[in-house]
Amino acid sequence: MASMTMIQALNSALDVMMERDPNVLTFGEDVGYFGGVFKVTEHLQKKYGAKRCFDAPINECGIAGAAIGMAVYGLRPVIEIQFADYMYPAYDQLVSEAARIRYRSANDYTVPLTVRMPYGGGIYGGQTHSQSPEALFTHVAGLKTVIPATPYDAKGLLISAIEDDDPVVFLEPKRVYNGPFDGRRDRPVIPWSKHPASDVPEGYYKVPLGKANIVREGADLTILAYGTMVHVAVAAVEDSGIDAEVLDLRTLLPVDIDAIVASVCKTGRCVIVHEATRTSGYGAELSALVQEHCFYKLEAPIERVTGFDTPYPHALEWDYFPTPPRIIKAMRRAMEA
Amino acid sequence: MSRRSNALDLHIPAPRARPGDAPDFSGWSFPEPGETPRPEIDAPAVELREFAYGLIRVLDMDGAAIGPWAPRLAPEALRRGLKYMLLLRAFDERMHRAQRQGKTSFYMQSHGEEAISIAQTMALDPSDMCFPSYRQQGILIARDYPLVDMMNQIYSNKHDPMKGRQLPVMYSSKKDGFFSISGNLATQVPQAVGWAMASAYAGDVRIASTWLGEGSTAEGDFHAAMTFASVYRAPVIVNVVNNQWAISSFQGIAGGENTTFAARGVGYGVPPLRVDGNDFLAVYAVTQWAAERARANLGPTLIEHFTYRAGPHSTSDDPARYRPTDEARAWPLGDPIERLKQHLMVLGEWREDQHRAAQEEALETVRATGREAEKVGVLGVEGAHEATSMFDDVYKDVPWHLRRQREDLGA
Ligand SMILES: Cc1ncc(C[n+]2csc(CCOP(=O)(O)OP(=O)(O)O)c2C)c(N)n1
């Protein structure tokens, strides 16, 4: 075991998989010599050579398309899109191609591809370094979508994603790369080393796709969250005094419906939290699932706490970013209903 | 795995020098200043192919202007260009420092590339339309846009014309013919072509000019733009600023190992001019040529500006981690400000003391403007923008769901 940040854990996952499987390789903008702008691929070029960890031209369409071709050949490419905000040129390749090749070839060709991308706000990154586009992937038949919230899960989930035989979009909450930021900006920054989920095995292990994690047990209300918002939700529960259960979904597609149903049917109340814009966001899907499966157990309308339906505003970031007080308000509404 | 004798091999480009190595520009050869002929503006694109592989130079390294491309600018215009470049550099230095002091989140300098934005803006008509990348703040400076408003934008303060919505340096000014900067690379290039097509459609007289880095030429948007520019003979100048480095990746990762960036124009049938981007006069001259050609309904020109990014990519970057720190100093084509200064001195139109005074004036302007902007506020000052203002301008009219969200936020 070692104490790792999320960046170190992701780096370790890549290292473990490149060591085990010569078919695993990684590339993307600034990924090679430099080790990526967030350092997730640091040292890998030195260790495995430039053919297994290299810089790509600034062309996300090409990065995705070439990776699909490699996957079709039989490799297991892991590509980095420098920021999720820059994935749009790759979207056609991911949606029309990666997602459908198994289906359209009647299982003749497959695409065991992992697409890593840092996402989310809270870093004063403005409109083009802050977006949360997960719903654009969960809406696509044929893609899996994964979002870790801790170093331990990041490594185990990334290894599962790389070993998965279908294309996986792996969104990394960059605000918690270096520490479990919980939205309480008035408190000192907490490093990962103070958090139990930073204890990460150095070798191979997996966290299965499709399994949620109960981060905090509670009886009165269920909060469904993922990524950075898991930590913000836990902080909200602490500050609220409400005995809420916090579920870290970890995989958005296929989502762990059993865990969601068990929790919400137990508590009868549900608050959904995400950073992404609200309308047609992933919370809408969660809300529909809860309604379909737990309707007769619900004691209150389902609440959503989300980013607003605007582009990400630079200077007004802290009015936009869902913080504990906003979550607590929604929790109280759910409790009082 | 044993390798077969006829095994294929994957090529991964690598730069010649990394940290710890000496800068290595050996084996590079450039045409002499004055050596490249200046074609007529109506020369057919097929006859211009060779320009893609040369380098148009006017200034020699001693400051003399030589050959057919020398633009014969009046000394007054040269001094103006020099002063703009000095102001731009002083501005960049101050704003870079302001970010380090925590006054803003981000900054990007154009250090070493000043001649491109300044000379080109001076060669264009003030009403021509610019679609820049994030590194052509010199356009605003050379169009005499208020420096204080640039700072207000960088500080996201109360007077920020972008109302705090945009990352620093993502300016916009319609009245100055300066399009809103996007953080998504190369998206502006096809838009510039479309603007130029509209100008031609409308029988206007204004042309468009757009800029992108050599790294960004890899994006599909650039190639889409070149196709449209060529097909519709759009009155547009497409400028590739080849400053050798994207972030940590050298120009070989964008395809520069095998050809030049100007040569991208050859495949599209667009005249490809390649110019010393640190030579103010040469940059001015090729821009003038391309602008005249566009104005005469002869279509687009692709210009590769061969230069060097002397500063970090942005305030988030540390170039010492991927390239020799003294590479900028070793750049064989010098510094654009020093070279224009030298030229003016050779002409007898500038003296060392005048230069020092101009430098001091630029610094003082920036200092005074900085104080003014900081008095209005820096990033993070509470109350600079009404929180509910984030819902303005998403649409022309605010739909019900945004009104509801605005009420929730206000409550
Ligand atoms: C679509 C897109 N992909 C990636 C990025 C991240 N990024 C920002 S600047 C940059 C390098 C650009 O290099 P270049 O085009 O050479 O311009 P320079 O910065 O050298 O002026 C990268 C990769 C981005 N902004 N947009």
Side-chain angles (χ1 to χ4, degrees), chain B residues 37-332:
Chain B
R38 185 182 193 277
E40 294 301 322
I41 58 154
D42 60 355
V46 284
E47 287 171 18
L48 300 171
R49 289 176 184 169
E50 281 312 307
F51 287 87
Y53 308 101
L55 196 71
I56 296 166
R57 302 174 65 193
V58 171
L59 285 174
D60 70 15
M61 298 315 275
D62 301 317
I66 307 167
W69 283 98
R72 278 183 272 285
L73 281 166
E76 192 38 49
L78 295 176
R79 279 191 292 264
R80 196 146 42 89
L82 184 63
K83 286 179 184 172
Y84 279 139
M85 288 201 285
L86 288 171
L87 183 59
L88 171 53
R89 188 166 290 184
F91 180 80
D92 275 351
E93 279 168 8
R94 169 137 188 146
M95 299 326 290
H96 184 81
R97 224 166 339 109
Q99 191 277 342
R100 290 288 183 257
Q101 295 163 342
K103 293 173 183 166
T104 187
S105 54
F106 182 78
Y107 192 69
M108 299 177 105
Q109 306 174 76
S110 63
H111 190 177
E113 305 171 27
E114 291 92 343
I116 298 162
S117 56
I118 301 292
Q120 293 207 275
T121 307
M122 288 175 68
L124 290 170
D125 198 86
S127 64
D128 289 335
M129 182 67 187
C130 298
F131 287 81
S133 88
Y134 44 68
R135 226 181 279 287
Q136 283 79 43
Q137 55 268 51
I139 297 169
L140 286 175
I141 288 190
R143 284 190 170 170
D144 298 316
Y145 182 84
L147 215 54
V148 68
D149 282 334
M150 294 173 75
M151 290 189 180
N152 289 334
Q153 196 281 329
I154 290 162
Y155 290 145
S156 284
N157 67 19
K158 217 182 186 70
H159 294 172
D160 169 9
M162 269 35 343
K163 302 184 180 175
R165 292 185 193 142
Q166 277 277 51
L167 202 63
V169 316
M170 306 283 170
Y171 316 102
S172 172
S173 182
K174 192 170 181 176
K175 80 172 169 31
D176 295 288
F178 188 97
F179 191 61
S180 156
I181 305 290
S182 173
N184 297 65
L185 294 171
T187 48
Q188 73 277 16
V189 188
Q191 295 162 1
V193 173
W195 192 98
M197 288 167 64
S199 190
Y201 164 86
D204 203 332
V205 295
R206 293 172 295 164
I207 63 170
S209 186
T210 182
W211 290 260
L212 75 164
E214 88 292 342
S216 304
T217 62
E219 289 286 7
D221 304 57
F222 168 71
H223 300 272
M226 291 299 288
T227 302
F228 275 67
S230 169
V231 167
Y232 298 106
R233 223 170 274 174
V236 63
I237 306 172
V238 178
N239 297 284
V240 175
V241 180
N242 176 5
N243 62 13
Q244 311 304 318
W245 292 91
I247 301 180
S248 72
S249 63
F250 81 121
Q251 44 88 21
I253 294 292
E257 264 188 344
N258 310 316
T259 186
T260 68
F261 293 94
R264 299 286 186 238
V266 175
Y268 293 103
V270 171
L273 302 183
R274 192 159 182 265
V275 65
D276 174 359
N278 291 10
D279 177 340
F280 187 94
L281 296 185
V283 170
Y284 188 96
V286 295
T287 308
Q288 209 174 31
W289 185 94
E292 271 178 46
R293 187 174 170 100
R295 286 188 217 290
N297 273 311
L298 295 164
T301 300
L302 176 69
I303 303 175
E304 174 185 347
H305 303 264
F306 196 67
T307 182
Y308 188 85
R309 192 193 80 213
H313 172 75
S314 73
T315 46
S316 312
D317 178 42
D318 175 12
R321 300 177 75 149
Y322 53 79
R323 66 182 191 186
T325 45
D326 47 352
E327 219 177 57
R329 247 170 299 141
W331 181 246

Side-chain angles (χ1 to χ4, degrees), chain A residues 119-123 172-181 185 189 228 275 318 321:
Chain A
Y119 86 97
I123 63 158
E172 300 168 3
K174 61 174 136 15
R175 188 61 181 81
V176 297
Y177 264 159
N178 288 306
F181 176 72
R185 288 169 65 231
V189 192
T228 305
E275 288 182 65
W318 296 108
F321 190 92

